[in-house]
Amino acid sequence: MGFSALFESGEKAKYRGHYRNLLLIACADGGIDDQEQALLDRIASRIGLTTDQVAEIKANPANFPTVAPTTREERYERFIQLMQMVAINGHADANELKLVRKYGIALGFTEESMDEKFELILKHLLDGKSRSEVLDKVL
């Protein structure tokens, strides 16, 4: 981790940790396919990560821990993005689902709240609903 990363904003640390989680989920089924890479690229762009920052996260994922968001909506948005990575190629791999549950706990969800929303979110994503549509359904 570079010296400047020690002083980055809390928001940037949250984004890097979240991107790392998405990256690890994408890799959980043996590699990153084109659809997963496209989603990673869109999210990196949306959250303002540079190419160098993405490369640093890929090279050293352990250096970027999960930092839980503070608002309920942001926690759900992050959880839905994690689920979106699982569903992007039309099926949910068991290793990916295991990681999503682990990261859901790190985001502040309880096992019960994840059990309540997990299948609903996955169903909506596999049905082709957008992230914002799913967010509206679960909030």
Side-chain angles (χ1 to χ4, degrees), residues 58-77:
K58 285 182 179 182
N60 302 297
N63 291 344
F64 303 94
T66 300
V67 179
T70 54
T71 69
R72 179 176 182 253
E73 183 174 338
E74 194 176 14
R75 281 195 316 274
Y76 270 104
E77 174 127 356

Side-chain angles (χ1 to χ4, degrees), residues 43-57:
I43 291 171
S45 177
R46 185 180 316 129
I47 62 179
L49 294 178
T50 67
T51 305
D52 289 342
Q53 290 169 328
V54 167
E56 184 179 1
I57 295 166

